Amino acid sequence: MTIQARMDSVRSKSEALSQNSRSESKEMTEKPPLVVIVGGGFGGLAAAKGLKRSPVGVLLIDRSNHHVFQPLLYQVATSVLAPGQIASPIRSLLAKQANISVMLGNVTGVDAASKQIIVDADDKIGIRISYDYLILATGATHSYFGHDEFAAFAPGLKNLSDAESLRNHLLEVFEKAEIEDDPDRRQALLTFVMVGAGPTGVEMASAIAVMTQTTFRKDFRRIDPESAHIVLADMGSRPLATFSEKLSEAAKQRLVSLGVDVRLGKPVQAIDRDGVVIGDERIQAKTVVWTAGVAPSPAGKWLGCGVDRAGRVRIQPDLTVPDHPDVFVVGDTASLDQDGRPLPGVAQVAMQQGKYAALCIFRKVIGHPPSPPFRYFDKGNLAVVGKNFAVLQSAGVQLSGFMAWLVWALIHIQFLAETSLRFSVFLQWAWTYLSGKRGDRLIIRQRSGS
Ligand SMILES: Cc1cc2nc3c(=O)[nH]c(=O)nc-3n(C[C@H](O)[C@H](O)[C@H](O)COP(=O)(O)OP(=O)(O)OC[C@H]3O[C@@H](n4cnc5c(N)ncnc54)[C@H](O)[C@@H]3O)c2cc1C
């Protein structure tokens, strides 16, 4: 089927829906409008689901075939969960939604003047697909703050393949340390540096600490995994800087009690294959993980519109791009101020914006007046610091310790994309919690010639 035929089929599937709404519609034409959503992450998926009952055809394009629950990527990297426990095929998540078609493709540009997007799919380069409405939800990637040379030695954690290769690497350095006779080289193998003390850095550092103290404790004969040196570095003055000072301090104390070496207030000057320079001190380390900055997708460049300092598209209060009332940008790749402060790059913002964009399109299509401006409802902030401990900040409530950890666990299970994943993660966590054993401790590398 050609791309055009596919688009016609998406539109015709939505005819039935449009028949129902036609009597209410002022704007409805013979062909239902086509909404193209780019990105099947938190924002794009929420938008797609929000259009379920709209008299439109929807085409969702993503360069990967799955939706990932990014907040649990660190658990794949530290062998608690398997990749398939935190991700689902986008196609299957939307299978019951008749007006949606899903396409595997990499969007490389937008021609807003002619209302077309440009996609590479399989071996077809530069396919043009017309849209009536466009929702860009293409997320973010790592930012090395102008030090792209760090990328080769300090990978980040953004998708499943990052998490899997980090898991392989973490497991491998313990194996190498087990057979290393030189004490300095062994210590470098057992030194882990996280650059960036936001939630991902804190979660990774504490998870590695727990891994060395529980699962690995009895597994090795020559090395003591607990001799691992885990460093959490940040040039800011406290970890979890988006939390209150009290919760930051609680998280710091917890990290220290887990044996994490928290180094604050000094910039990372250099990273190479043998270690890292923090301030003026060199630390020999075979593992450096970049948990610091993120940069948005190139959506701003595609649209040629105004962007903020980080490169995120400056959107209007109805989430559209200035001069393009049919183009919405949501989630990590969008920039919107609320009460004088930019909205944070978190899943809740992306989901609420995706839902709102879907509602705006629905109302336009059926000829209803526009929705009031978007307003983010902040349900709170959570970060986990090892076993039995999390920090929670929500509507004036500040909590740290076991209760916060229980809330963290329940909320993360609830927000997984499918019921089967919720069961699977719950059982895995219960097993790991009781036995100290991790689920997915496999080093899987492609061997040449096999
Ligand atoms: C390790 C980690 C931990 C996190 N922990 C938390 C947490 O605890 N709580 C929280 O609220 N938030 C957390 N976040 C942030 C949260 O995951 C993001 O804010 C959220 O995913 C943003 O949603 P989005 O839809 O904008 O982008 P994403 O969810 O990143 O989705 C973007 C989608 O677009 C696709 N895409 C990108 N470019 C293209 C293209 N050119 N063509 C086609 N498809 C494309 C991608 O494949 C992806 O599927 C975490 C993020 C990370 C990386």
Side-chain angles (χ1 to χ4, degrees), residues 21 48 54 103 130 170 180 190 199 214 287 292 307 413 418 440 443:
S21 310
S54 288
M103 177 179 171
S130 299
L170 288 176
E180 178 59 67
L190 293 177
T214 56
T287 307
V307 294
I413 284 191
E418 287 183 289
D440 202 37
I443 300 172

Side-chain angles (χ1 to χ4, degrees), residues 39 41-43 62-63 70-71 105-107 137-139 157 302 331-332 345-347 350:
F42 285 103
D62 200 303
R63 63 185 173 198
Q70 291 176 2
N106 184 36
V107 171
T138 38
L157 189 59
W302 298 339
D332 280 6
V346 295

Side-chain angles (χ1 to χ4, degrees), residues 13 25 33 45 48 52 117 125 142 149 189 198 201 216 219 252 264 320-321 323 362 374 402 418 420 423 427-428 443:
K13 276 185 191 157
S25 168
L45 203 59
K52 187 172 182 176
I117 54 155
I125 307 294
H142 320 295
E149 72 276 12
L189 284 163
F216 282 2
D219 282 9
K252 187 177 162 193
L264 299 168
T320 60
V321 178
D323 301 327
F362 175 68
F374 173 78
F402 183 69
E418 287 183 289
S420 59
F423 272 114
L427 289 175
Q428 184 65 59
I443 300 172

Side-chain angles (χ1 to χ4, degrees), residues 38-44 61-64 66 70-71 73 105-107 137-140 157-158 200 302 330-333 345-348 350 382 412:
V38 186
F42 285 103
I61 305 174
D62 200 303
R63 63 185 173 198
S64 103
H66 50 266
Q70 291 176 2
L73 275 173
N106 184 36
V107 171
T138 38
L157 189 59
K158 193 71 192 129
T200 305
W302 298 339
V330 303
D332 280 6
T333 211
V346 295
Q348 275 298 325
L382 276 160
H412 280 67

